[in-house]
Amino acid sequence: MTQKPRGRQFFANPGPTNIPDSVLRALDRPSIDFQDPEFVAVYDEAFAGVKRVLRTAQSLFMYNASGHGAWEASLTNLFSPGEKILVLETGFFSDDWAAMGRGFGLEVEVLAADRRRGVDIAALRAVLAADTGHAIAGVCVVHNETATGLMIPLPEVRAAIDACAHPALFLVDTISSLGSLEFRMDDWGVDCVVGGSQKGLMLPTGMSFTGVSEKGMQAHRVAGLKRYYFDWTLMEKRAQKSFIGTLPVNMFYGLRESVRLLEEEGLDNVVSRHHRLAEATRRAVKVWSGNNGPQLFCVSPDRYSDSVTAILMPEGYDAEAVRRCCRWKFNVSLGGGLGALGGKVFRIGHLGDLNEPMLLGALAAVEMALRIEGIPHGRGGVDAAMDYLAE
Ligand code: PLP
């Protein structure tokens, strides 16, 4: 198709996500000196707001970097060369975090899992119990695997660590769960949480952060990996306490507004809205899976992600055909399959600034694309989603 589709784009990507108009308006302002008292007040408010969203009273450090920067900060600030971390396999993003650990000279053990189900918590408990010498210094978990639409129940991971009285640090990537799924850093005993701006926080990409527990800060004091821009000790000495270099001032105006929006709705209501929209998506996919059609990639209902749904194509059909049709005929942007799932999976992001008609528009485009592209499927997925939402 040569002509650009008209109308507003329905953005159903799992990150970046839709940016609310009021956040766009907040970002749109002239530069200000980052030491100006007017800005310092905005910074302080935004900073305190992120801590409330993380549900932590402990330390927070922020970076001019996408999520990869916060990943790097988490590993380099907490560990020493040759130390061992255990990464729970979830998919593309656990692979990447593990690869980064190897890149920094850590010994990385991966707790293997069926990627459509996620790790077996009993297997985690067995690995930790067998580690009587406490060689494992950290357990790294991607809370919500954005590539597969799978959520790992963090309280169960915490309970497994506690059941073995294992001293390992508990590291959690919340990049596609924060501001969408329930997350409680302090209550769940998370020692280091990695978050980013471009998903549940509804901001542009480019800012990320780590929340760190007291135990994490103690580990940091003796951690020997090399670091500079991401160094928490260095950050603590700076005026802004949590940031090195020029502050992205506009981003903080946007962040203050996005936290305001989340709190105006109420964090618990944000979580239930995400659950409602995710469940409507799953109802649609379950109908489409009729006639040997596309199906949910995740096959563990208690681990369905409420922020992204990955949909596995029937054998011999290309997921990219669905994405292309949605994008060029209907101006709907979907996520593609990542890594080995390229062409096999497409993803519907249902996180951030989203309501029922926005989701239904995306689902309707997908159902039309399945028809147009001659992909076998059960008809009536959008009806099933509407029935659920109207209940
Ligand atoms: N972790 C998860 C779960 C992600 O979804 C992503 C990106 O989508 C990342 C890490 C990497 O973050 P970034 O792309 O912002 O560097």
Side-chain angles (χ1 to χ4, degrees):
M1 178 175 268
T2 49
Q3 200 187 331
K4 199 171 178 290
R6 310 297 307 189
R8 190 161 187 154
Q9 187 176 92
F10 279 62
F11 198 67
N13 253 276
T17 62
N18 294 292
I19 304 175
D21 289 348
S22 69
V23 173
L24 288 171
R25 298 293 87 80
L27 291 163
D28 178 10
R29 65 165 338 280
S31 294
I32 181 170
D33 182 338
F34 61 82
Q35 285 167 345
D36 188 301
E38 182 194 317
F39 173 72
V40 172
V42 173
Y43 172 88
D44 287 345
E45 260 187 76
F47 190 78
V50 174
K51 287 176 75 161
R52 289 194 301 276
V53 174
L54 288 168
R55 298 191 192 261
T56 188
Q58 303 183 78
S59 299
L60 173 67
F61 301 97
M62 304 179 100
Y63 324 101
N64 267 316
S66 75
H68 276 75
W71 262 353
E72 186 160 329
S74 71
L75 298 180
T76 57
N77 278 286
L78 291 174
F79 303 112
S80 297
E83 264 192 319
K84 181 168 173 177
I85 56 170
L86 178 69
V87 176
L88 274 52
E89 179 178 358
T90 48
F92 185 84
F93 290 105
S94 68
D95 287 350
D96 244 19
W97 205 7
M100 186 182 272
R102 284 185 210 101
F104 279 115
L106 297 175
E107 183 187 337
V108 177
E109 179 177 342
V110 174
L111 179 60
D114 173 339
R115 292 185 174 200
R116 298 188 69 181
R117 292 189 163 78
V119 290
D120 176 4
I121 298 292
L124 169 64
R125 215 178 306 122
V127 169
L128 293 173
D131 182 35
T132 50
H134 296 160
I136 298 170
V139 175
C140 300
V141 186
V142 175
H143 185 197
N144 186 77
E145 176 53 71
T146 324
T148 58
L150 177 108
M151 181 273 308
I152 298 294
L154 298 176
E156 290 181 29
V157 176
R158 180 72 255 173
I161 299 172
D162 291 346
C164 307
H166 200 292
L169 296 168
F170 183 21
L171 284 75
V172 175
D173 169 336
T174 60
I175 289 179
S176 62
S177 61
L178 195 69
S180 308
L181 317 187
E182 186 180 15
F183 178 74
R184 298 177 177 273
M185 174 173 161
D186 291 357
D187 291 352
W188 294 351
V190 176
D191 294 305
C192 182
V193 49
V194 169
S197 55
Q198 77 273 27
K199 300 196 198 266
L201 289 182
M202 309 173 288
L203 288 162
T205 311
M207 189 197 272
S208 57
F209 47 87
T210 45
V212 189
S213 71
E214 289 309 316
K215 181 177 163 184
M217 289 308 294
Q218 281 169 24
H220 165 66
R221 307 281 175 226
V222 294
L225 278 179
K226 290 209 183 308
R227 59 203 171 242
Y228 190 86
Y229 175 66
F230 294 113
D231 188 57
W232 298 339
T233 301
L234 200 54
M235 289 186 166
E236 284 181 311
K237 294 185 185 142
R238 298 289 164 113
Q240 256 86 7
K241 299 281 183 237
S242 71
F243 217 104
I244 291 182
T246 305
L247 275 86
V249 285
N250 295 54
M251 197 72 148
F252 275 93
Y253 281 89
L255 180 59
R256 180 178 65 166
E257 174 60 11
S258 70
V259 170
R260 193 195 67 74
L261 289 174
L262 289 172
E263 293 187 326
E264 181 183 69
E265 184 175 358
L267 289 177
D268 292 340
N269 295 330
V270 170
V271 169
S272 35
R273 174 170 55 85
H274 280 81
H275 176 71
R276 208 167 55 245
L277 297 176
E279 181 56 28
T281 306
R282 294 189 284 266
R283 301 267 174 129
V285 180
K286 283 176 187 164
V287 172
W288 296 336
S289 71
N291 296 327
N292 297 318
Q295 54 179 282
L296 293 171
F297 184 83
C298 176
V299 291
S300 288
D302 57 337
R303 292 184 171 187
Y304 285 153
S305 160
D306 281 343
S307 61
V308 52
T309 299
I311 297 147
L312 180 65
M313 294 295 285
E315 200 58 43
Y317 291 91
D318 183 8
E320 290 305 297
V322 177
R323 290 183 70 216
R324 268 194 306 271
C325 183
C326 285
R327 174 70 182 87
W328 296 111
K329 276 200 184 320
F330 306 121
N331 211 4
V332 169
S333 176
L334 304 170
L338 297 175
L341 295 179
K344 295 184 165 63
V345 151
F346 68 91
R347 296 172 300 147
I348 300 177
H350 31 74
L351 72 166
D353 191 39
L354 201 73
N355 62 22
E356 284 81 353
M358 291 160 84
L359 177 76
L360 288 169
L363 296 177
V366 171
E367 194 159 329
M368 287 190 284
L370 295 176
R371 267 193 223 185
I372 292 166
E373 297 296 328
I375 295 159
H377 66 283
R379 289 201 177 185
V382 178
D383 283 315
M386 285 195 297
D387 286 347
Y388 170 74
L389 292 172
E391 250 170 36

